[in-house]
Amino acid sequence: MGDFAQVQVSGSLSSAGFGAIDAGPSQRNQEDYKDYAVNAQLKLDKFLPKKWGIEIPFNVTMSEQFTDPKYNPLDNDVLFDEDPRKDELEDIVRTYAQQKSFTFSNVRKVKTNNKPARFYDVSNFAVSFMYADTYNRDVYTQYNLTKNVRASLNYNYNFKSNFYQPFKDWRAVQDTAKSSKYLKFIKEFNINPLPARLSFRTDIDRTYTERQYRDLNQYFGGSSYLFPVAFSNNFLFSWQYNVGFDLTKSLRLDYTSSTRTLNDGVDYEYADKGLIWNNLFEVGRPVNYDHQIQLNWKTPVYLFPYMSWANLEIGFTSNYNWQARSTVFRNAPTENGEGLGNISQNSNNINMIGDFDMAKFYSEFTGYNKMDSIKRGRNREIDSLSRAYEAQTGKKFRRNSKKSYKFKNKYRPQDFGWMIVSSIKKFQFNYNQTNGAVVPGILSDPNFFGFGNDGGSPGAGFIYGTEFDVIRKFIESGN
């Protein structure tokens, strides 16, 4: 049973008058309260053959809370149990809340064989679904209902990288060739035009709320009035996709795009508890669009002759955002009869990081290597003298037994210059540049790649983060 389901049950109960020993009457509970909650986590795939490799996690939650006041909230001086209208008001004065939710989380098929993964395998997909509703009422609220539906479909696949090195077998770049030292950058040249990563996600997120206030005048002898039902909904349909390329072993490109749409209009402007299920898979009007292009390149400068000491990385990130304005602004007429349009903005960031090992750089020079050789020789002589001196410390001191020592490894004048220069061991730099612009009044909605459906976009340069002064271009062109 433990492999199939886990069930948790909890509850609490307190009565009017409950409280701490030193609490006064007004500080103690003024109502009877009780609640319970049940949560069950089930693995429904246990009913299926294991060889199918299906995973179906299911979660269900149910909870209720009941609060009954000690005193009538419509007449605070009367105990509710002694009120002559107790039977009539029992459901009115009770505060009641209920929560329910049902969730299928990450339903998928796992691989059950050793066959190579393919981009069309069902195991690359995963589905999730959740329904939840909350209901509550009290003396002032006839009812307050909130419903929420969420569903998602995920796809994710990583392709096997296969880099092609066209010059790898060229005789001139082989390690045995004299020219290999100078042509290493050609030998390591590689390319992979196929995608390395592909993912897609689509989401449905719907919330419906309905509320009606209670008319209390009728309980005080006044005329009855039925409050209108207040409702609101937010029905979103969105998707996101990512395509990644490892163009070379050191050049990585990722393109990520996301779009959010809203279902609104006259078809959704009425109170209906079942409205949340209407046209569940319908794509609404776009309200937000984002995409990002990210390029990272670890340059092969270290492969060039005499450049093994240098490492340089370059990064470029471009962002574009389109945001729908409120329909009040979108539909506000201008001089030419068109609305005020929407807002789009872009930005890019260029980053360069350099890391230079200066010790390797100095070793490319004969003068430095000669100085370094002399320095190591002098260090060996100093170590030898130190050992000889330590051996004489236990013997009887003799006058004039010390003789001056002349080093065999003598520094040249230019060696002192190399010592000063080589005191710099590492050198790093970081360059960062950010640009961006905002353009209002975009009349068209974006398509799958961010361009306007009817050609009214700010242009490819602006969308891909390489152009910023587009307002001047619009003015000059008369658009």
Side-chain angles (χ1 to χ4, degrees):
M1 182 66 177
D3 292 338
F4 166 68
Q6 292 183 354
V7 181
Q8 295 178 340
V9 180
S10 63
S12 64
L13 177 68
S14 64
S15 59
F18 178 79
I21 297 178
D22 57 347
S26 62
Q27 297 174 320
R28 295 176 178 270
N29 286 354
Q30 301 299 311
E31 66 273 331
D32 295 330
Y33 175 82
K34 56 186 175 181
D35 70 65
Y36 75 90
V38 179
N39 176 262
Q41 298 178 5
L42 310 176
K43 295 182 180 180
L44 301 182
D45 50 270
K46 295 297 181 180
F47 294 103
L48 303 176
K50 189 176 181 179
K51 63 181 181 180
W52 288 7
I54 305 295
E55 293 184 354
I56 312 177
F58 178 67
N59 182 283
V60 57
T61 301
M62 173 73 178
S63 62
E64 288 184 297
Q65 299 85 39
F66 307 84
T67 304
D68 297 310
K70 179 179 180 180
Y71 293 92
N72 185 352
L74 302 179
D75 190 352
N76 292 329
D77 295 329
V78 178
L79 292 171
F80 184 71
D81 288 340
E82 299 176 359
D83 194 297
R85 296 184 299 172
K86 175 183 177 181
D87 294 337
E88 178 187 357
L89 299 177
E90 185 173 7
D91 290 337
I92 305 300
V93 301
R94 165 176 280 181
T95 299
Y96 171 76
Q98 180 191 78
Q99 301 84 31
K100 295 182 295 184
S101 69
F102 309 92
T103 305
F104 290 92
S105 178
N106 200 29
V107 177
R108 63 193 185 104
K109 181 186 183 306
V110 298
K111 288 184 66 66
T112 57
N113 54 53
N114 297 324
K115 294 181 179 180
R118 296 286 186 262
F119 71 92
Y120 51 79
D121 288 344
V122 179
S123 57
N124 298 325
F125 293 88
V127 179
S128 297
F129 177 84
M130 185 274 289
Y131 169 79
D133 67 46
T134 301
Y135 172 89
N136 64 275
R137 68 172 188 267
D138 57 32
V139 66
Y140 302 106
T141 307
Q142 186 84 17
Y143 69 88
N144 184 15
L145 175 67
T146 299
K147 292 186 175 185
N148 183 240
V149 172
R150 292 182 181 179
S152 67
L153 172 65
N154 292 294
Y155 171 85
N156 187 66
Y157 181 74
N158 292 323
F159 295 85
K160 184 179 179 181
S161 298
N162 187 16
F163 296 97
Y164 174 60
Q165 295 181 261
F167 307 110
K168 183 178 180 180
D169 298 325
W170 186 25
R171 181 179 298 178
V173 301
Q174 301 305 311
D175 294 337
T176 56
K178 293 181 179 181
S179 58
S180 63
K181 177 181 178 180
Y182 306 97
L183 301 177
K184 190 174 181 180
F185 68 96
I186 296 179
K187 178 182 179 180
E188 296 297 330
F189 176 79
N190 60 88
I191 188 171
N192 176 28
L194 299 178
R197 298 165 297 280
L198 179 62
S199 63
F200 180 86
R201 177 185 177 95
T202 182
D203 292 277
I204 297 172
D205 188 354
R206 291 190 163 197
T207 302
Y208 176 83
T209 301
E210 187 175 306
R211 176 183 296 179
Q212 186 175 32
Y213 290 101
R214 191 187 306 277
D215 175 32
L216 298 180
N217 286 331
Q218 58 181 315
Y219 303 107
F220 293 100
S223 59
S224 176
Y225 174 76
L226 183 64
F227 283 92
V229 174
F231 71 95
S232 65
N233 57 61
N234 190 34
F235 295 170
L236 299 174
F237 189 100
S238 59
W239 61 84
Q240 175 180 322
Y241 66 92
N242 171 267
V243 182
F245 294 85
D246 291 336
L247 298 175
T248 70
K249 294 180 180 179
S250 57
L251 181 60
R252 176 170 175 158
L253 173 66
D254 279 281
Y255 178 83
T256 303
S257 174
S258 62
T259 303
R260 178 180 296 175
T261 68
L262 174 67
N263 286 288
D264 58 1
V266 295
D267 293 337
Y268 302 93
E269 294 178 354
Y270 62 94
D272 183 358
K273 296 180 178 64
L275 185 65
I276 197 170
W277 303 107
N278 287 7
N279 303 318
L280 188 62
F281 299 102
E282 181 176 350
V283 178
R285 65 177 179 90
V287 293
N288 188 76
Y289 172 86
D290 286 284
H291 75 220
Q292 181 182 82
I293 300 172
Q294 191 166 10
L295 184 69
N296 293 293
W297 184 31
K298 184 177 180 181
T299 64
V301 63
Y302 64 95
L303 296 175
F304 285 84
Y306 310 109
M307 296 294 292
S308 61
W309 52 276
N311 285 291
L312 180 64
E313 295 186 21
I314 301 175
F316 174 81
T317 302
S318 169
N319 293 281
Y320 174 73
N321 171 261
W322 178 94
Q323 190 76 35
R325 279 186 173 181
S326 167
T327 53
V328 175
F329 291 98
R330 286 166 56 93
N331 301 329
T334 57
E335 293 181 358
N336 57 4
E338 297 178 337
L340 296 177
N342 309 292
I343 298 176
S344 65
Q345 57 184 332
N346 73 350
S347 66
N348 73 18
N349 177 266
I350 301 172
N351 182 255
M352 297 177 63
I353 300 175
D355 188 1
F356 307 112
D357 188 345
M358 303 307 293
K360 288 184 178 180
F361 172 66
Y362 302 140
S363 65
E364 300 291 344
F365 296 90
T366 304
Y368 173 81
N369 292 330
K370 179 63 177 176
M371 182 277 296
D372 190 56
S373 177
I374 294 173
K375 184 178 180 179
R376 289 197 301 269
R378 285 177 68 91
N379 288 338
R380 287 193 296 269
E381 290 183 61
I382 293 172
D383 291 340
S384 179
L385 288 173
S386 297
R387 288 193 296 270
Y389 177 75
E390 291 174 358
Q392 293 293 330
T393 55
K395 296 182 180 180
K396 188 176 180 180
F397 174 79
R398 296 180 183 179
R399 181 177 294 182
N400 299 327
S401 60
K402 279 189 176 181
K403 295 182 180 180
S404 60
Y405 179 81
K406 293 184 179 181
F407 285 97
K408 298 176 181 179
N409 295 276
K410 297 180 179 181
Y411 286 122
R412 302 165 301 164
Q414 61 267 35
D415 292 336
F416 296 100
W418 278 113
M419 290 181 187
I420 296 173
V421 173
S422 63
S423 62
I424 302 176
K425 303 297 182 184
K426 279 188 175 293
F427 176 73
Q428 294 178 331
F429 81 89
N430 191 326
Y431 172 81
N432 191 72
Q433 177 183 321
T434 301
N435 305 286
V438 178
V439 177
I442 304 299
L443 300 178
S444 61
D445 295 338
N447 61 14
F448 201 68
F449 299 101
F451 292 91
N453 287 323
D454 53 3
S457 69
F462 187 86
I463 289 175
Y464 292 119
T466 59
E467 187 178 13
F468 305 99
D469 193 13
V470 295
I471 296 181
R472 179 185 297 273
K473 184 180 70 173
F474 289 160
I475 295 174
E476 293 175 352
S477 63
N479 291 332

